[in-house]
Amino acid sequence: MNYLIVSIVLVLLGLSYFLVREHRWRRRERRREQSIRTLLDEADALEASLLTCRERMQTLRGMLVDLPEEMTGDADEALAADDKVQAALRDLLQHRLWIKQHADDAGQAELDAAVEALSQSRRSMEQQLLRLDEMTAALREARAR
């Protein structure tokens, strides 16, 4: 009888251990999948911001044609960033290749660092877009005068 109780307790302990490990593994896998999804979403958002930036820069460039040179200094400086947008798009392509080739093997810390890097780049690009919007509004106002 004692052997039966000890055996049942050992089986229950083993089963509990297995269930806890399984739960932890599933939680880690869900976190990993979420990180990869977030990484891809951030890459998409950054690409959209970069393309919007390029479009707004072209609009701004078209507006500069009609204005005197002394009024276009800040805008010219912003438009000089077109090469930076191209470089950022190339870097983004490199990030996408890394995701495709290494996301399955990367550690959680690497995935988290990649997500943070893309998030930071996207936030920076959003600030640049706001700056371009402000310059465009100022140039429209100057043209209206």
Side-chain angles (χ1 to χ4, degrees):
M1 182 77 170
N2 286 337
Y3 291 116
L4 182 61
I5 292 174
V6 169
S7 297
I8 290 172
V9 168
L10 288 176
V11 167
L12 289 175
L13 285 174
L15 184 59
S16 297
Y17 175 75
F18 172 76
L19 290 174
V20 167
R21 284 191 69 209
E22 180 72 15
H23 176 71
R24 286 180 182 165
W25 180 81
R26 287 179 190 261
R27 191 173 60 203
R28 245 182 273 135
E29 281 301 307
R30 278 193 302 271
R31 182 169 181 232
R32 178 179 193 73
E33 288 172 6
Q34 179 62 38
S35 293
I36 292 171
R37 237 185 333 274
T38 301
L39 193 58
L40 293 170
D41 290 345
E42 287 292 334
D44 290 344
L46 179 58
E47 182 177 19
S49 292
L50 287 165
L51 294 175
T52 300
C53 182
R54 180 192 288 164
E55 181 182 298
R56 290 182 185 170
M57 289 170 71
Q58 289 171 352
T59 299
L60 192 57
R61 190 174 285 121
M63 293 174 71
L64 294 179
V65 174
D66 300 334
L67 294 173
E69 206 173 299
E70 61 271 2
M71 297 178 75
T72 61
D74 288 342
D76 280 335
E77 180 183 319
L79 294 177
D82 196 36
D83 291 338
K84 292 179 184 177
V85 171
Q86 278 303 113
L89 285 167
R90 281 191 300 274
D91 287 346
L92 182 59
L93 179 60
Q94 291 293 354
H95 277 287
R96 287 187 187 276
L97 289 172
W98 182 89
I99 293 167
K100 183 177 180 180
Q101 294 172 351
H102 300 289
D104 291 337
D105 302 326
Q108 187 63 48
E110 284 180 288
L111 292 173
D112 291 343
V115 167
E116 181 55 34
L118 282 175
S119 295
Q120 179 63 35
S121 294
R122 185 183 49 76
R123 286 189 299 268
S124 176
M125 181 51 53
E126 294 297 326
Q127 290 174 348
Q128 293 300 322
L129 288 171
L130 289 173
R131 186 171 173 229
L132 283 172
D133 287 344
E134 290 169 359
M135 282 187 234
T136 301
L139 286 174
R140 283 192 176 123
E141 185 179 314
R143 286 174 73 184
R145 291 182 189 174

